[in-house]
Amino acid sequence: MKSDIIKKGIERAPHRSLFKAMGYTDEEIRRPLIGVVNSVNEIVPGHIHLDKIAEAVKAGIRMAGGTPVGFGAIGICDGIAMGHEGMKYSLASRELIADSCEAMARAHSFDGMVFIPNCDKIVPGMLMAAARVNVPSIIISGGPMLSLKKNGKQLDLNSVFEAVGSVKAGLINEEDMLFYEDNACPGCGSCSGMFTANSMNCLTEVLGMGLPGNGTIPAVYAERIRLAKQAGMKIMELVEKNIKPSDILVAKAFENALTVDMALGCSTNSVLHLPAIAHEVGIELDLDIINEISGRVPNLCKLAPTGPWHVQDLYQAGGVQAVMKELTGKNLLHLDLLTVTGGTVAANIEKAAILDHNVIRDINNAYSETGGIAVLKGNIAPDGAVVKRSGVADEMLCHKGPARVFDSEDDAIKAIYSGGIKKGDIVVIRYEGPKGGPGMREMLGPTSAIAGMGLDRDVALLTDGRFSGASRGASIGHISPEAMEGGPIAIVRDGDIINIDILSGKLDVELTDKEIEERLKSWKAPEPRIKTGYLGRYARLVTSASKGAVLI
């Protein structure tokens, strides 16, 4: 066993003594030591209950003959961090999570690892750590929050953000908004739509690193506790068979993940996280592959924020496995890949079936013949930009309009709320990328304001930052190179005409190459907004969004 290095032989008596100081018995010390990374805290609704998941995991490990060793990981609530300086830390925390999990795993020579995340950056951070440490590992998430129907409205967190815009526009009053505030988030779990957290939890299943049901079983269901116990038992099988993340996270597994991503209509943030996870196993996911896959994969689901359904509905309709089974009808998945079940993708989905064809459409009755996400390129975004195509109104798929340029999210929100944005405008928010932000803030505030004011079919938003998985409308993010690195978005001016052609994958400003070159010659990078502390270091080390915003 890998852990023998810290517990076997006379020379390790001091180490065993330290274990015994914590109450471990000789029998427990002799068994395989399984690190259990628990990101429970009292500030994230998706994590408030993870102590219960951890207890179940530990029970499963003990039942299967192992010794669980628990430790903690941080987690930031994107919703609470949204719209102020706190959001600069959200994406940056992904690297802290990966680094700290790696440090704990390697310092203590665990034989296997169970990772317990649930929300946005915590899931990919732990997947990155699992790939990096490369001992037998499994992910078990905390599950999605329920969405409740009140007064004829199916509610989620996005309902509250959009209600703010509606109040500002005079469409509802503050008493109406309180209704949303009190009812949109009824309890624990990751926010109930196909936002970033649930996107990544579902794609964890597809990658093969989570058991079937990991992405969709609601947080409050007893089945979630049973799944956690099964994960605890399953890690012992993975240790015995020495099945490691490097055996599972192969190039074809990432192709599967992108394929299901397109079918589900996941958050655009998946395009940021999947390349970062692949990077940890030495695989480069080029953005061009996204359009290639999207071009052949139909969009089968319209889950919130792009449709009326929530993750609980996907669960009732057969879950991620049913979506995967449907995609096999056109041979769109690699089925011979190993997963943490110990079996193949084919074996995992053999008995899966669609139970509600309203939530998961048949492959021959898809919402569209192309996938939910598209990569755009052009003279504003030479290295690419990302849009959730399935969330864009038909009339905005091709759009031309004048730029309204802002050098921060905060300035843009002020203009939107003051009525300074008109129909047809294209809002450009720059210096919010990985380096410029720093931290590449999510911008649910501006997109929700636009939607809440009823302008989401008339106004587009472009940014070198990113959008929340809860954002909808023509929200185009991840523009690379970012403004802080001298990308062309840095020289766009108010009134410049921008052409958006999502159907053709194009994003251009009506300027000649010579005009762009002349403007770039006179451009100077602004002073970094933050030079000290973790964000200062992050800004100096982070790569482009087109590379997954990993650190070098």
Side-chain angles (χ1 to χ4, degrees), residues 96-425:
L96 288 174
I97 292 162
D99 290 350
S100 60
C101 290
E102 172 200 356
M104 288 294 286
R106 289 193 167 150
H108 301 108
S109 297
F110 294 128
D111 297 299
M113 297 284 290
V114 180
F115 295 87
I116 308 175
N118 207 28
C119 291
D120 296 46
K121 306 311 153 313
I122 302 92
V123 180
M126 288 190 177
L127 280 164
M128 290 164 68
R132 193 183 300 172
V133 174
N134 201 34
V135 297
S137 300
I138 192 169
I139 310 290
I140 170 66
S141 77
M145 185 185 293
L146 293 178
S147 167
L148 301 183
K149 192 170 188 177
K150 290 281 187 90
N151 293 353
K153 302 177 187 295
Q154 196 73 41
L155 303 177
D156 57 46
L157 177 64
N158 207 33
S159 307
V160 194
F161 274 99
E162 292 191 4
V164 175
S166 296
V167 170
K168 297 282 186 179
L171 301 175
I172 64 173
N173 60 35
E174 290 190 22
E175 185 178 342
D176 295 326
M177 188 174 71
L178 184 61
F179 162 77
Y180 290 103
E181 180 181 326
D182 287 345
N183 294 285
C185 299
C188 66
S190 48
C191 294
S192 54
M194 189 51 74
F195 310 149
T196 304
N198 290 324
S199 294
M200 293 309 302
N201 282 325
C202 288
L203 295 182
T204 296
E205 279 189 53
V206 185
L207 285 169
M209 290 297 295
L211 295 174
N214 178 74
T216 59
I217 298 170
V220 295
Y221 284 15
E223 188 180 354
R224 173 64 55 177
I225 298 298
R226 297 198 298 272
L227 189 74
K229 290 178 181 177
Q230 290 164 9
M233 292 185 282
K234 185 59 68 173
I235 189 62
M236 298 309 299
E237 180 184 330
L238 297 174
V239 169
E240 181 183 353
K241 295 179 178 178
N242 197 31
I243 297 174
K244 302 185 293 295
S246 58
D247 300 315
I248 295 170
L249 295 173
V250 296
K252 288 182 178 180
F254 288 97
E255 290 180 20
N256 278 356
L258 286 169
T259 298
V260 177
D261 191 336
M262 300 304 163
L264 284 173
C266 290
S267 163
T268 53
N269 284 315
S270 63
V271 180
L272 197 63
H273 298 315
L274 289 173
I277 298 162
H279 174 77
E280 297 293 344
V281 287
I283 296 170
E284 182 178 353
L285 277 189
D286 191 284
L287 289 186
D288 290 337
I289 195 177
I290 292 167
N291 279 349
E292 179 189 330
I293 291 174
S294 183
R296 63 174 184 262
V297 177
N299 179 217
L300 304 182
C301 301
K302 287 279 190 182
L303 302 164
T306 62
W309 314 110
H310 289 78
V311 179
Q312 68 202 40
D313 302 305
L314 178 61
Y315 164 75
Q316 296 287 356
V320 174
Q321 305 297 307
V323 175
M324 296 175 72
K325 182 69 173 288
E326 188 65 14
L327 291 172
T328 64
K330 291 190 176 179
N331 299 314
L332 292 170
L333 291 176
H334 304 288
L335 300 177
D336 59 344
L337 306 183
L338 187 63
T339 76
V340 291
T341 65
T344 63
V345 172
N348 293 349
I349 67 174
E350 182 180 2
K351 296 180 180 179
I354 298 176
L355 304 178
D356 187 335
H357 293 271
N358 293 311
V359 179
I360 305 172
R361 286 199 173 183
D362 296 339
I363 200 163
N364 295 315
N365 184 37
Y367 285 102
S368 68
E369 290 304 308
T370 54
I373 291 176
V375 171
L376 314 182
K377 288 189 176 182
N379 62 9
I380 297 179
D383 293 342
V386 181
V387 63
K388 190 168 184 174
R389 175 166 50 191
S390 59
V392 180
D394 288 345
E395 56 266 41
M396 291 296 289
L397 290 170
C398 294
H399 179 71
K400 178 191 286 191
R404 292 294 315 281
V405 182
F406 303 93
D407 287 347
S408 73
E409 175 192 7
D410 311 273
D411 291 343
I413 288 178
K414 288 177 187 175
I416 294 167
Y417 282 153
S418 67
I421 303 301
K422 308 301 180 186
K423 288 185 177 183
D425 284 348

Side-chain angles (χ1 to χ4, degrees), residues 429-434 440 463-466 478-479 482-483 489:
I429 306 174
R430 62 192 178 194
Y431 297 108
E432 290 287 4
M440 202 180 183
T463 183
D464 54 5
R466 59 196 177 92
H478 305 201
I479 290 177
E482 64 173 288
I489 189 176

Side-chain angles (χ1 to χ4, degrees), residues 492-513:
V492 176
R493 297 172 183 168
D494 272 351
D496 286 345
I497 301 300
I498 293 174
N499 288 306
I500 300 168
D501 188 345
I502 295 173
L503 296 175
S504 300
K506 299 288 182 63
L507 180 63
D508 292 290
V509 59
E510 289 188 355
L511 295 173
T512 66
D513 291 346

